[in-house]
Amino acid sequence: AQSVTQLGSHVSVSEGALVLLRCNYSSSVPPYLFWYVQYPNQGLQLLLKYTTGATLVKGINGFEAEFKKSETSFHLTKPSAHMSDAAEYFCAVTFRQGVAGTASKLTFGTGTRLQVTL
Amino acid sequence: DSGVTQTPKHLITATGQRVTLRCSPRSGDLSVYWYQQSLDQGLQFLIQYYNGEERAKGNILERFSAQQFPDLHSELNLSSLELGDSALYFCASSVGISGGQDTQYFGPGTRLTVL
């Protein structure tokens, strides 16, 4: 069974500081990994995803994440935080399906609320 | 704007009642997923449809059911509502042909409050 662990339910950084949100996964087969962001009273928006190929993935709004198989991690980083980055971030995992339309449900972590202070 | 629409945005009802949540996927997407977000359970997968057929079930209660219509919109029916069903219900859609790696696009959600 797949699972995702996000370390730290709340992270606070100063504006301009490095953002690091941690995600570790458990999967018995090669995973597909996603980071989604949820702003207050809104749905989830995809930041980036890893499927195959290059392990360093760049996403929107200056975020990136690196897939490290040996560490079963997919941490999200941004070099310089901005006030507009304050939101809840969710790491999610799914895995390869052989048949079109076969279940590819996302298994989410519990989320990390990012606070950005002046 | 993800292109996924959900109605209504808010729903307030009483225990024991039945409600229907509606979702229209992005144009061209064949897969529709329903998720529940609550404070105690987090984001949980409920059910998936692909081109009108049920493809997977997650932690969906027997009181809940869903369907996807020929025009690909989907409805989630919740009956005999309990206080614990109060949550944010999200619909997501994807192309559905890439075997798991296609992006799921989420709608804005329906916030259900059961009093």
Side-chain angles (χ1 to χ4, degrees), chain A residues 36 38 49 97 100-101 103-104 106, chain B residues 33 35 48 96 99 101 103-104:
Chain A
Y36 281 87
Q38 185 179 25
K49 68 178 183 182
Q97 299 293 332
S104 53
L106 289 168
Chain B
Y33 311 77
Y35 292 86
Q48 180 209 5
Q101 61 183 301
T103 297
Q104 292 184 28

Side-chain angles (χ1 to χ4, degrees), chain B residues 2 11 34 37 42 48 50 60 63 66 70 97 101 108 111:
Chain B
S2 67
L11 201 48
W34 286 96
Q37 184 179 33
Q48 180 209 5
Y50 174 75
I60 187 167
R63 301 182 285 108
I97 61 174
Q101 61 183 301
R111 183 169 295 281

Side-chain angles (χ1 to χ4, degrees), chain B residues 46-85:
Chain B
L46 295 178
I47 197 164
Q48 180 209 5
Y49 280 82
Y50 174 75
N51 204 19
E53 294 184 6
E54 181 185 305
R55 282 304 176 99
K57 270 187 173 180
N59 299 323
I60 187 167
L61 300 171
E62 284 191 12
R63 301 182 285 108
F64 295 1
S65 65
Q67 53 184 328
Q68 186 179 28
F69 294 87
D71 67 352
L72 300 177
H73 90 271
S74 177
E75 292 180 356
L76 179 67
N77 300 295
L78 315 177
S79 61
S80 303
L81 286 168
E82 302 175 359
L83 295 178
D85 297 328

Side-chain angles (χ1 to χ4, degrees), chain A residues 86-98:
Chain A
E88 187 145 24
Y89 293 80
F90 292 92
C91 182
V93 64
T94 186
F95 56 93
R96 173 183 290 276
Q97 299 293 332

Side-chain angles (χ1 to χ4, degrees), chain B residues 93-104:
Chain B
S93 74
S94 73
V95 174
I97 61 174
S98 306
Q101 61 183 301
D102 44 324
T103 297
Q104 292 184 28

